[in-house]
């Protein structure tokens, strides 16, 4: 089975929508990836429509979010802790194994790419692209929810 990889291209938009989902009643949440991307697109002015590429097994909302390694009708399952049940979101084993191998190889040669999304550096270093505090929070939420261990 191929690893599921989730790539957040616009953390601010994705995090804002995830905030709404987290506050919604479970029955009001999207039930599959297609519905998730469709609802996300509705909240973004001039957003494209979600598209499924069967050959790549990828749902894509261009410039916003990509979910690769999934079937067209892939269901969603939300994990949200309560005081009586703590739920942990574990990384995909296959993707974790591959990323560990890549990281260990980079460590062996003394460097390589940084696996931290750029908005962290922009915010901490106050670059011209730095998000506001609220945008940073939304971006962190998107990173937390969709992080794919790479």
């Amino acid at each position: 089975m191929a690893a599921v990889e989730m790539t957040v291209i616009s953390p601010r938009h994705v995090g804002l929508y995830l905030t709404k989902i987290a506050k919604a009643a479970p029955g009001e949440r999207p039930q599959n990836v297609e519905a998730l991307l469709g609802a996300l697109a509705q909240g973004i002015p001039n957003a494209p429509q979600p598209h499924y590429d069967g050959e790549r097994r990828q749902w894509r909302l261009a410039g916003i979010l990509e979910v690769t390694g999934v079937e067209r009708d892939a269901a969603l399952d939300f994990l949200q802790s309560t005081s009586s049940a703590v739920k942990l979101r574990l990384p995909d084993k296959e993707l974790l194994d591959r990323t560990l191998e890549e990281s260990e190889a980079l460590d062996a040669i003394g460097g390589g790419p940084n696996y931290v999304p750029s908005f962290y550096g922009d915010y901490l270093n106050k670059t011209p692209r730095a998000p506001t505090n609220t945008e940073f929070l939304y971006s962190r939420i998107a990173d937390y929810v969709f992080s794919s261990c790479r």
Side-chain angles (χ1 to χ4, degrees), residues 34-53:
E34 180 178 15
L36 173 82
L37 295 183
L40 176 57
Q42 287 179 354
I44 302 171
N46 304 313
Q49 290 300 306
H51 172 73
Y52 185 75
D53 180 339

Side-chain angles (χ1 to χ4, degrees), residues 9-124:
I9 301 155
S10 180
R12 179 176 50 95
H13 288 111
V14 174
L16 174 62
Y17 179 65
L18 292 172
T19 300
K20 292 176 184 176
I21 290 176
K23 293 179 176 186
E28 297 172 359
R29 296 172 178 165
Q31 299 299 304
N32 57 46
V33 176
E34 180 178 15
L36 173 82
L37 295 183
L40 176 57
Q42 287 179 354
I44 302 171
N46 304 313
Q49 290 300 306
H51 172 73
Y52 185 75
D53 180 339
E55 188 174 314
R56 296 184 69 202
R57 297 179 59 229
Q58 178 188 67
W59 272 107
R60 183 172 189 241
L61 181 56
I64 309 296
L65 178 65
E66 297 172 354
V67 182
T68 306
V70 297
E71 300 298 326
R72 181 179 190 93
D73 61 349
L76 287 177
D77 186 16
F78 295 96
L79 302 176
Q80 194 171 38
S81 296
T82 65
S83 61
S84 61
V86 175
K87 299 180 182 187
L88 302 178
R89 183 183 65 88
L90 298 175
D92 179 286
K93 182 190 177 317
E94 187 176 313
L95 184 58
L96 178 58
D97 288 342
R98 188 173 78 222
T99 305
L100 279 170
E101 287 176 15
E102 292 170 2
S103 295
E104 290 167 355
L106 290 171
D107 287 344
I109 62 171
N114 188 340
Y115 291 104
V116 178
S118 61
F119 70 84
Y120 285 103
D122 290 339
Y123 182 78
L124 294 172

